[in-house]
Amino acid sequence: MAQESYHTQHAPFGAFASFTVGLVDSQGGFGQSLGVPARQNVYVGFRSAQHARWQMLPFLNPPVAAETAFTAEDTVPRPPGGFDALRPAAYQRTLNWASDTWRADESRFGFSLLTPFDHVADPAKMKKSAARFQLAPAIFGWIEYDNRAGTEPVELMFGIGDPSRPLRPLSEADPKLVGFAGGTGWGYATAPTRGIELRQGFDVFAPKFRDYHGLLVIAAETALVFSVPAGRRKRFPLVLGFYAAGTQTTGLPASYAYTRVFDDLEDVLKHGLEHFDRYAAIAATRDRELDRSRLNPDQRFLLAQSTHSYYGSTQLLWDKRGPLWMVNEGEYRMINTFDLTVDHVFFELAWHPWAVRDVLDLFVRRYSYRDRHGLAFTHDMGVMNHFTMPGRSSYECDHLTGCFSHMTMEQLLNWVLTAVTYASHTEDRRWLKTNLKTLLACAESLHVRDDADPKKRDGILKRDSDRCGADGSEITTYDSLDVSLGQARNNLYLAVKTLGAWVLLERAFGALGQAKAAGDARATADRLAQSITQKFEHDTGFFPAVFEKGNRSRILPAVEGFIYPLYLGYTDATNRTGRFAPLFRQLGQHMAQALQPGICLDAKSGGWKMSSTSTNTWFSKIAIAQHVVRQLFPEVMNDAARAGDRVHADWQRTPGCGRDAMCDQIRSDSGVACGSRYYPRGVSCYLWLSE
Amino acid sequence: MAQESYHTQHAPFGAFASFTVGLVDSQGGFGQSLGVPARQNVYVGFRSAQHARWQMLPFLNPPVAAETAFTAEDTVPRPPGGFDALRPAAYQRTLNWASDTWRADESRFGFSLLTPFDHVADPAKMKKSAARFQLAPAIFGWIEYDNRAGTEPVELMFGIGDPSRPLRPLSEADPKLVGFAGGTGWGYATAPTRGIELRQGFDVFAPKFRDYHGLLVIAAETALVFSVPAGRRKRFPLVLGFYAAGTQTTGLPASYAYTRVFDDLEDVLKHGLEHFDRYAAIAATRDRELDRSRLNPDQRFLLAQSTHSYYGSTQLLWDKRGPLWMVNEGEYRMINTFDLTVDHVFFELAWHPWAVRDVLDLFVRRYSYRDRHGLAFTHDMGVMNHFTMPGRSSYECDHLTGCFSHMTMEQLLNWVLTAVTYASHTEDRRWLKTNLKTLLACAESLHVRDDADPKKRDGILKRDSDRCGADGSEITTYDSLDVSLGQARNNLYLAVKTLGAWVLLERAFGALGQAKAAGDARATADRLAQSITQKFEHDTGFFPAVFEKGNRSRILPAVEGFIYPLYLGYTDATNRTGRFAPLFRQLGQHMAQALQPGICLDAKSGGWKMSSTSTNTWFSKIAIAQHVVRQLFPEVMNDAARAGDRVHADWQRTPGCGRDAMCDQIRSDSGVACGSRYYPRGVSCYLWLSE
């Protein structure tokens, strides 16, 4: 395995902002609304009597020419000396669910970043004090040294250097704040106490120029230097805040919800310092929950890393109607991509279920449309803070048969599955009732996409949207895989997902007293299950990925559609010997044969592959498949399949993925990300905690 | 001479924003509050029947991997083809005072950017309609093709690609707008008319993916394609706008003045299109004024390029008191650096004199202080939108003898000179009267910095501020030159500048009826002039640059202090045979000898050097020296000195300076900028128009 080296997004709730750090020999830092890690110097380290030079975590690359831009000196500028960038062997890093901790110098030195995520109540009903606590655009941290055995004082450093701008000392805005900020947008502070020195200059290790308060305010490198006396152990708190004022979006103009309860960055930082202990306690609770889970260490790492990137993509705004929830699609920054919403639902229903409801409502209100078959929904709501026109996504183009084509069927299923999953899990019958008309229209649309003639229907979606044009055809969320998962029509993955949708519709209609619709849904599910069984290849013991043109690809998402009844505890639909017993028998055989090296386990790496005919595999979908397999088909989990966790974790914690924090689209042979970087969707592995 | 290739900042008034373009084979584009050129693709070109491929000005570098981030294709991505980047020999560029025009294809193709600067009235008293016209954060342009002799239609392209974000089609915000925007901050539009196609995709030359309105909204490359039918000549207008909402500054929180009269970017762009002709007429007037001036072509280029960079650094905000004027210091982005204010005064008094007054008032109100000698002023008011604490600059540090030390004497002189120049030129006696106390305190402070004992005074400033500390000493604005100009104490440049200050004080006190103070100022001026004459080296015929330690550097700013009485028409002080006749005789000899190759004309390049002992020379100061020399010492302008204009212009129009638009600190031997890039101060050459 390559050396452990990965970025992690340390992010507040709903601020579309991350403090990203961790990749060895790389910068990181504060990033607002970025699709990639920021590129600031992150100064974290210590200097003890035994080290003449600062011992720094390897997250900095101090500028060499900033000073000579002023002095116009001819000499070739030399990089700041005075520090050693620690090699990975010299420190230990531990990523937990809500903390990321580095230790060095025989654990005497410690640095930690805390992201205390928690249950968030519906912002529409939040009181101001709760809103300040829950929506604070801040993360937390500490730096410490155990100098109890020491005989000399030890110095600690935390700081930031931004190549694009000088920072400002926060004390000039508020004497109670000890730290620095980049304009009005981001900054860091510690609690005022003795033994803290502020540094700002071209070289924070050896500042040559000091003004009346000891700084050089025109320079872009800043740091806090903390002193730990001999015989003492001291830990200093850190708060890292963001603040973006004013209208952030176009199309649907909206501002950050937190700007309603925080005046500015200084307000955020002071609040963070004031409530530091309470936030730290929440982070500790989350860590403990993960520690006490039954996940193995690789799974824990994957959930921790995923959760961090998820929060970095969240964005809670406020428009004239009230709260406006967005999850941005990682490096692509598309807004509320429905393919992601349906996979985030398991995490979001646990922590902020109203977000799921609000997104569903916005899809109905603004991002639904009717094609010739009936009701449908768009792939997304826009991109990079721009909400596209009603009924239009930023992604979907016409006259295509691959990437960028329409995903009409897929998104119709996504609305049904997300809606019923939300309503059933939260028992929000009122919401479900309000949406009865939409659910009925969805059912009708599903039917027509099978066949206009009810007598010819077999339950399998096979009629493309006219939005594609005569020369185009629909694709699935697996847009960048080969045809095995990319084509929507006659697609195994979509067929089983459709089965899941009808199972949920049956329950929803039943709960709303719609006996006829429920009966129709049940009958359709049964017919569809039977139709799928007829596609089974008895000679090979596999399902084909596409029921067309002799396709023989083998895919793991054959079972993805069962995640919804499984999650909701609809045992009648997940009983191996129940109403879908014949289908389960075939799927069991399919999965047992697929989870073999060279089929859907990569022959080289051992990682899980979405498709036997593509080396592009997606971690978020692997996570769902693993969960379904372990819960519904435990017998197929052979040793090779079980070994996948280590492989998947190694992909993320080495630079092939780790240079962009959590990545989703990965080459199964090399472990290198090939798309979907800096991505929120890995949080689907939250499902594992229920095993 | 190296190939002509330079960036120019095309900037609105007071928006601290530039559309920078022009350097060969380089990107540019929209930059908000930057100290360097932006890095966007700028698509400008044409395709005619005779060219199968687009013929583009060389300002683009289309992305190669944007598409594969979505499609996860393994193939090595190929850069967009379909275009040729024109070589400089294939086009002509003409920079005028308020326009920048490119011609190609035997002048049939044309593209121009217009920056119609004009007199701006005091914003505190502006009516809304005037404010909208004068403060609009927009620049203008056009693209055209003369296809009158053609038999096939010709296509024109203007567009922008931003590597950091997808753009949005403006039509989604306002159907009347044809163009694209980056979020809420910047965008471009043309007037709706037939024959315009919008493009957005990974490759605007050959868009592969088109949605319902023909675009791919997730992609970052955008363009307008205009069609010019055979037999027609068509010119299409362009408006390029900026908009930055909300609080921009810290320390003194303030927002852009234009946000009081424009709602958003769309409002700016529509306004620009509506009033396009009026703005274009103003630009044409400015161009005509420069064309009709007596400047030679090199001088015209230098004034045009300087004016463009000046406006790019201007920033008009509004705080709770009203208008807040800032000029940012180029790449350093220090706020209202006083060293620049005093040099910008000649330009600003012509175009927006209230700006000078407002800055002087803010220096008195917030950025004055008292050291042990008396009243003084700070070097600047902060940096990068951060206003430092009252009485403190962002630049000045303690215990230093070179760069980053205090400039107390220099800034005291700058306040006096700027204040009296403002009041005298504008005849604002009321303002002068309001500031009488400050003027008297300045005079007293000047005296004490000479000597505490009146009897020992010779007029030459020689006592450093105690802010420097016992081990530090003051520097001058020429901070990065050698000691010849860097040391404040006993400095020739400062001594003559002090003479200028006393001459102005005499007039000011006289105008205010302060006979005693006027008499004292006159006596001090006379004594100082005499003191300076005593420093003349009769053996060499030069003044030493510093009256200490046997310094023998020769400097051109020996005459800089005479610019103020010269500008104000105080002929008694500039009469070669008048009260300062002995000093003028010596300065004439000094300058005649200095303006020789190997002394203050660079032996290699022929460019003017500030100091005989430094190769660091500053264009803005050369411009002042040239003006003073030509007006007061015309006889010393030998052929070699006259040839300097060409040298100085060549420095700016080749990449050594040109890669950062107007540059001020330049190596006199190589013509390469060594500091002060992207800099406003070159506008001091506006003085030349009065010759």
Side-chain angles (χ1 to χ4, degrees):
Chain A
M1 177 196 156
Q3 172 191 282
E4 180 176 298
S5 169
Y6 60 94
H7 266 321
T8 295
Q9 297 178 248
H10 304 90
F13 175 82
F16 194 12
S18 292
F19 186 87
T20 298
V21 75
L23 188 73
V24 174
D25 293 332
S26 297
Q27 295 170 302
F30 293 93
Q32 176 66 57
S33 312
L34 298 183
V36 294
R39 293 212 176 167
Q40 299 175 335
N41 284 319
V42 181
Y43 294 96
V44 182
F46 64 97
R47 183 166 66 170
S48 62
Q50 102 193 67
H51 300 100
R53 296 153 64 89
W54 281 92
Q55 306 296 298
M56 304 300 290
L57 293 176
F59 307 143
L60 69 165
N61 184 17
V64 296
E67 181 178 336
T68 54
F70 289 88
T71 59
E73 281 163 8
D74 265 337
T75 51
V76 178
R78 280 187 311 172
F83 78 95
D84 297 319
L86 289 170
R87 298 298 79 208
Y91 62 86
Q92 303 79 46
R93 177 181 181 185
T94 310
L95 182 71
N96 209 322
W97 210 5
S99 70
D100 197 359
T101 307
W102 288 260
R103 291 267 172 206
D105 210 19
E106 296 172 335
S107 281
R108 287 184 289 262
F109 168 76
F111 169 69
S112 190
L113 290 170
L114 310 178
T115 45
F117 69 93
D118 203 349
H119 301 280
V120 176
D122 187 349
K125 297 172 186 163
M126 253 182 209
K127 294 246 166 44
K128 183 172 178 186
S129 66
R132 280 176 67 87
F133 192 79
Q134 300 208 295
L135 308 184
I139 68 159
F140 304 84
W142 49 257
I143 189 165
E144 72 167 15
Y145 198 89
D146 182 350
N147 201 18
R148 285 176 297 184
T151 56
E152 302 282 340
V154 168
E155 289 177 305
L156 298 169
M157 182 184 289
F158 177 81
I160 294 292
D162 188 332
S164 74
R165 62 178 302 156
L167 279 67
R168 64 184 170 97
L170 282 163
S171 61
E172 298 192 4
D174 191 317
K176 276 179 250 162
L177 284 172
V178 180
F180 293 91
T184 57
W186 49 266
Y188 65 96
T190 189
T193 174
R194 281 201 302 176
I196 304 177
E197 180 199 343
L198 281 84
R199 290 194 183 174
Q200 179 167 18
F202 303 118
D203 177 355
V204 293
F205 302 108
K208 273 162 73 176
F209 312 107
R210 291 184 186 262
D211 69 8
Y212 73 103
H213 52 358
L215 310 175
L216 176 59
V217 184
I218 50 172
E221 311 298 307
T222 68
L224 301 171
V225 174
F226 308 88
S227 183
V228 182
R232 296 284 301 283
R233 172 181 183 162
K234 288 191 83 168
R235 174 179 287 195
F236 300 89
L238 297 168
V239 176
L240 287 68
F242 294 89
Y243 197 91
T247 303
Q248 301 296 311
T249 47
T250 49
L252 274 182
S255 309
Y256 278 103
Y258 63 71
T259 61
R260 295 162 52 87
V261 292
F262 287 100
D263 292 336
D264 52 26
L265 177 66
E266 286 78 2
D267 193 9
V268 171
L269 293 170
K270 279 189 290 185
H271 163 89
L273 288 166
E274 193 179 331
H275 299 281
F276 185 90
D277 292 343
R278 215 174 130 202
Y279 284 111
I282 291 169
T285 301
R286 290 292 94 75
D287 285 354
R288 217 162 29 239
E289 286 167 4
L290 189 60
D291 284 339
R292 291 178 182 169
S293 75
R294 298 166 61 187
L295 304 193
N296 68 41
D298 294 315
Q299 292 171 332
R300 285 179 205 181
F301 166 78
L302 286 162
L303 177 55
Q305 177 75 337
S306 296
T307 303
H308 278 82
S309 279
Y310 169 79
Y311 278 105
S313 288
T314 60
Q315 186 171 14
L316 179 62
L317 301 177
W318 202 280
D319 73 356
K320 59 186 179 188
R321 302 175 68 109
L324 176 57
W325 174 258
M326 295 158 63
V327 180
N328 294 280
E329 193 183 343
E331 67 168 316
Y332 311 124
R333 293 183 286 191
M334 283 182 272
I335 299 169
N336 289 334
T337 305
F338 217 157
D339 302 346
L340 274 70
T341 307
V342 72
D343 291 334
H344 295 159
V345 71
F346 314 109
F347 186 87
E348 291 177 344
L349 288 181
W351 299 99
H352 37 275
W354 49 267
V356 179
R357 178 199 65 202
D358 288 0
V359 168
L360 288 165
D361 286 344
L362 189 54
F363 265 111
V364 172
R365 195 165 69 239
R366 186 175 165 106
Y367 291 101
S368 57
Y369 63 92
R370 291 190 165 269
D371 65 6
R372 64 175 167 177
H373 304 311
L375 184 63
F377 301 89
T378 59
H379 167 269
D380 59 74
M381 301 184 177
V383 61
M384 189 57 241
N385 281 345
H386 174 59
F387 282 91
T388 39
M389 299 296 274
R392 295 294 176 175
S393 73
S394 67
Y395 174 96
E396 289 158 301
C397 292
D398 307 342
H399 309 294
L400 298 174
T401 57
C403 258
F404 311 117
S405 184
H406 291 270
M407 297 191 193
T408 312
M409 292 175 181
E410 179 89 74
Q411 309 313 342
L412 176 61
L413 292 169
N414 284 342
W415 198 89
V416 170
L417 291 164
T418 309
V420 182
T421 299
Y422 161 76
S424 178
H425 184 84
T426 61
E427 301 180 343
D428 190 347
R429 194 170 170 281
R430 206 173 106 183
W431 183 86
L432 196 65
K433 197 171 165 194
T434 307
N435 284 277
L436 173 60
K437 233 177 82 182
T438 304
L439 284 166
L440 288 167
C442 286
E444 180 57 22
S445 184
L446 285 174
H447 274 319
V448 177
R449 280 165 219 281
D450 172 358
D451 203 297
D453 180 354
K455 290 190 211 88
K456 293 188 182 158
R457 291 177 191 155
D458 62 2
I460 296 172
L461 300 167
K462 55 186 90 62
R463 301 176 74 205
D464 290 306
S465 173
D466 46 309
R467 281 200 168 183
C468 298
D471 49 348
S473 56
E474 285 183 35
I475 57 174
T476 80
T477 186
Y478 292 99
D479 53 0
S480 60
L481 270 75
D482 63 9
V483 70
S484 66
L485 275 161
Q487 168 186 321
R489 207 175 52 242
N490 280 317
N491 181 294
L492 170 63
Y493 146 71
L494 270 190
V496 178
K497 190 165 173 175
T498 308
L499 179 58
W502 284 115
V503 166
L504 267 61
L505 281 172
E506 178 196 344
R507 291 288 190 123
F509 290 138
L512 294 172
Q514 301 286 317
K516 183 160 168 271
D520 174 63
R522 183 174 183 85
T524 306
D526 287 339
R527 184 166 58 245
L528 173 53
Q530 200 193 350
S531 302
I532 299 172
T533 58
Q534 289 164 3
K535 307 296 184 185
F536 191 68
E537 299 166 11
H538 293 281
D539 55 338
T540 64
F542 279 112
F543 282 103
V546 180
F547 312 140
E548 275 186 13
K549 300 174 188 161
N551 180 290
R552 294 247 152 163
S553 293
R554 313 308 178 187
I555 60 167
L556 295 183
V559 298
E560 190 174 316
F562 279 101
I563 183 58
Y564 310 99
L566 172 63
Y567 173 78
L568 293 173
Y570 293 173
T571 44
D572 69 315
T574 56
N575 183 343
R576 293 281 291 270
T577 57
R579 60 192 274 217
F580 302 130
L583 178 59
F584 271 115
R585 272 194 301 277
Q586 293 173 339
L587 285 171
Q589 186 178 353
H590 174 94
M591 294 301 279
Q593 295 188 163
L595 286 174
Q596 299 294 338
I599 313 293
C600 287
L601 296 180
D602 188 90
K604 189 170 161 200
S605 72
W608 289 37
K609 280 162 53 113
M610 286 295 100
S611 163
S612 64
T613 51
S614 175
T615 57
N616 182 356
T617 194
W618 298 11
F619 170 73
S620 61
K621 296 297 197 177
I622 290 174
I624 294 172
Q626 288 181 312
H627 177 66
V628 173
V629 164
R630 288 194 294 251
Q631 297 300 100
L632 295 185
F633 307 94
E635 76 282 3
V636 313
M637 282 295 293
N638 56 52
D639 286 348
R642 244 186 303 272
D645 289 333
R646 169 60 54 88
V647 177
H648 308 149
D650 284 350
W651 288 347
Q652 300 293 342
R653 60 191 160 208
T654 52
C657 290
R659 76 176 73 257
D660 291 296
M662 192 72 200
C663 292
D664 208 36
Q665 293 194 43
I666 304 162
R667 287 280 161 228
S668 60
D669 49 357
S670 65
V672 174
C674 58
S676 299
R677 300 163 183 90
Y678 219 59
Y679 214 68
R681 182 155 64 173
V683 81
S684 59
C685 70
Y686 181 71
L687 284 165
W688 299 344
L689 285 180
S690 66
E691 294 174 23
Chain B
M1 177 197 154
Q3 172 191 281
E4 181 176 297
S5 169
Y6 59 94
H7 267 322
T8 295
Q9 296 177 250
H10 305 89
F13 175 81
F16 193 14
S18 291
F19 186 88
T20 298
V21 75
L23 187 72
V24 174
D25 293 332
S26 296
Q27 296 170 302
F30 292 92
Q32 176 65 58
S33 312
L34 298 184
V36 294
R39 292 214 179 166
Q40 299 175 336
N41 284 320
V42 181
Y43 295 96
V44 181
F46 63 97
R47 182 165 68 169
S48 62
Q50 102 194 65
H51 300 100
R53 296 153 65 89
W54 281 92
Q55 306 297 299
M56 304 299 291
L57 294 176
F59 308 142
L60 69 165
N61 185 16
V64 295
E67 181 179 336
T68 54
F70 289 87
T71 59
E73 280 163 8
D74 266 336
T75 51
V76 178
R78 280 186 312 172
F83 77 94
D84 297 318
L86 290 169
R87 297 299 79 207
Y91 62 87
Q92 303 80 45
R93 177 181 181 185
T94 311
L95 181 72
N96 208 321
W97 211 4
S99 69
D100 197 359
T101 306
W102 289 260
R103 291 267 172 207
D105 210 19
E106 296 172 334
S107 280
R108 288 185 288 263
F109 169 75
F111 169 69
S112 190
L113 290 170
L114 311 177
T115 45
F117 69 93
D118 203 349
H119 302 279
V120 176
D122 186 348
K125 297 173 187 163
M126 253 182 209
K127 294 245 166 43
K128 183 171 178 187
S129 65
R132 279 177 67 87
F133 192 80
Q134 300 208 295
L135 308 184
I139 68 158
F140 304 84
W142 49 258
I143 189 166
E144 72 167 16
Y145 197 90
D146 183 350
N147 200 18
R148 285 175 297 185
T151 56
E152 302 282 341
V154 168
E155 289 177 305
L156 297 169
M157 182 183 289
F158 177 80
I160 294 292
D162 188 332
S164 74
R165 63 177 301 156
L167 279 68
R168 64 183 170 98
L170 282 163
S171 61
E172 298 191 4
D174 191 317
K176 276 179 250 161
L177 284 172
V178 180
F180 294 90
T184 57
W186 50 266
Y188 65 96
T190 189
T193 175
R194 282 200 303 174
I196 304 177
E197 179 199 343
L198 281 84
R199 291 193 183 173
Q200 180 167 17
F202 302 117
D203 178 356
V204 293
F205 302 109
K208 272 163 74 178
F209 312 106
R210 290 183 186 263
D211 69 8
Y212 72 104
H213 53 359
L215 310 175
L216 175 59
V217 184
I218 51 172
E221 310 299 306
T222 68
L224 301 171
V225 174
F226 308 87
S227 183
V228 182
R232 296 284 301 281
R233 172 181 184 163
K234 287 190 84 169
R235 173 178 289 194
F236 299 89
L238 296 168
V239 176
L240 287 67
F242 294 89
Y243 197 89
T247 303
Q248 301 296 311
T249 47
T250 49
L252 274 181
S255 309
Y256 278 103
Y258 63 69
T259 62
R260 296 162 50 86
V261 292
F262 287 100
D263 292 336
D264 51 25
L265 178 66
E266 285 79 3
D267 193 10
V268 171
L269 293 171
K270 280 189 290 186
H271 163 89
L273 288 167
E274 193 179 331
H275 299 281
F276 186 90
D277 291 344
R278 216 175 130 202
Y279 283 111
I282 292 169
T285 301
R286 291 291 92 76
D287 285 354
R288 216 160 32 237
E289 286 167 3
L290 189 60
D291 285 340
R292 291 177 182 169
S293 75
R294 297 166 62 187
L295 304 193
N296 67 42
D298 294 315
Q299 292 171 332
R300 284 179 206 182
F301 166 77
L302 287 162
L303 177 54
Q305 177 76 335
S306 296
T307 303
H308 278 82
S309 279
Y310 169 79
Y311 278 104
S313 288
T314 60
Q315 186 170 14
L316 179 63
L317 301 176
W318 204 280
D319 74 355
K320 59 186 180 188
R321 303 176 66 109
L324 175 57
W325 174 258
M326 296 158 63
V327 179
N328 294 280
E329 193 183 344
E331 66 168 317
Y332 311 124
R333 294 183 286 192
M334 283 182 273
I335 299 169
N336 290 334
T337 305
F338 217 157
D339 302 346
L340 274 69
T341 306
V342 74
D343 292 333
H344 294 159
V345 71
F346 313 109
F347 187 87
E348 291 178 343
L349 288 181
W351 298 100
H352 36 275
W354 48 267
V356 179
R357 177 199 65 203
D358 288 0
V359 168
L360 287 165
D361 287 344
L362 189 53
F363 266 112
V364 172
R365 194 164 70 240
R366 186 175 164 106
Y367 291 100
S368 57
Y369 62 93
R370 290 191 165 271
D371 66 5
R372 64 174 167 178
H373 304 310
L375 185 63
F377 301 88
T378 59
H379 167 269
D380 59 74
M381 300 183 176
V383 61
M384 190 56 241
N385 282 344
H386 174 60
F387 282 91
T388 39
M389 299 295 274
R392 296 293 176 176
S393 73
S394 66
Y395 174 96
E396 289 157 302
C397 291
D398 308 342
H399 310 294
L400 298 173
T401 57
C403 259
F404 312 116
S405 184
H406 291 271
M407 297 192 193
T408 312
M409 292 175 179
E410 179 89 75
Q411 309 314 341
L412 176 61
L413 291 170
N414 284 342
W415 199 90
V416 169
L417 291 164
T418 309
V420 181
T421 300
Y422 161 76
S424 178
H425 184 84
T426 62
E427 300 179 344
D428 190 347
R429 195 172 170 281
R430 207 174 102 182
W431 183 87
L432 195 67
K433 198 171 167 195
T434 307
N435 285 277
L436 173 60
K437 235 177 79 181
T438 303
L439 284 167
L440 288 167
C442 285
E444 180 57 21
S445 184
L446 284 175
H447 274 319
V448 177
R449 280 164 219 280
D450 171 359
D451 202 295
D453 180 353
K455 290 191 211 88
K456 293 187 182 160
R457 290 177 191 154
D458 61 4
I460 296 172
L461 299 167
K462 56 186 90 65
R463 300 176 75 205
D464 290 306
S465 172
D466 46 310
R467 282 201 167 183
C468 299
D471 50 347
S473 56
E474 286 183 34
I475 57 173
T476 80
T477 186
Y478 294 97
D479 52 1
S480 59
L481 270 75
D482 63 8
V483 69
S484 66
L485 276 160
Q487 168 186 322
R489 206 175 53 242
N490 280 317
N491 180 295
L492 170 64
Y493 146 71
L494 271 189
V496 178
K497 190 166 173 174
T498 308
L499 179 58
W502 284 115
V503 167
L504 267 61
L505 280 172
E506 178 195 345
R507 291 286 190 124
F509 290 138
L512 293 172
Q514 300 288 317
K516 183 160 170 270
D520 173 63
R522 182 174 184 87
T524 305
D526 288 339
R527 183 165 59 246
L528 173 53
Q530 201 193 352
S531 301
I532 298 171
T533 59
Q534 288 164 3
K535 307 296 183 185
F536 192 69
E537 300 166 11
H538 294 280
D539 55 340
T540 65
F542 279 112
F543 282 102
V546 180
F547 313 139
E548 276 186 13
K549 300 174 188 161
N551 179 290
R552 294 245 152 164
S553 294
R554 314 308 177 186
I555 60 167
L556 295 183
V559 299
E560 190 174 316
F562 280 101
I563 184 58
Y564 311 99
L566 172 63
Y567 173 78
L568 293 173
Y570 293 174
T571 44
D572 70 315
T574 56
N575 183 344
R576 293 282 291 271
T577 57
R579 61 192 274 216
F580 302 130
L583 178 59
F584 272 114
R585 274 194 301 276
Q586 293 172 339
L587 283 171
Q589 186 179 355
H590 174 94
M591 294 302 278
Q593 295 188 164
L595 285 173
Q596 299 293 337
I599 313 294
C600 287
L601 297 180
D602 188 270
K604 189 170 160 202
S605 72
W608 289 37
K609 282 162 52 113
M610 287 294 101
S611 162
S612 64
T613 51
S614 175
T615 58
N616 182 356
T617 193
W618 298 10
F619 171 72
S620 61
K621 296 296 198 177
I622 289 175
I624 294 173
Q626 287 182 313
H627 177 67
V628 173
V629 165
R630 289 193 294 250
Q631 297 299 100
L632 296 184
F633 306 95
E635 76 283 2
V636 312
M637 283 295 292
N638 56 54
D639 287 348
R642 243 185 304 273
D645 289 333
R646 169 60 52 88
V647 177
H648 307 149
D650 284 350
W651 289 346
Q652 300 293 341
R653 62 190 159 207
T654 52
C657 290
R659 76 177 72 258
D660 290 297
M662 192 72 200
C663 293
D664 209 35
Q665 294 193 42
I666 305 162
R667 288 281 162 226
S668 60
D669 48 357
S670 65
V672 174
C674 59
S676 299
R677 300 164 184 90
Y678 219 60
Y679 214 68
R681 182 155 63 174
V683 82
S684 60
C685 69
Y686 181 72
L687 285 165
W688 299 343
L689 285 181
S690 66
E691 293 174 22

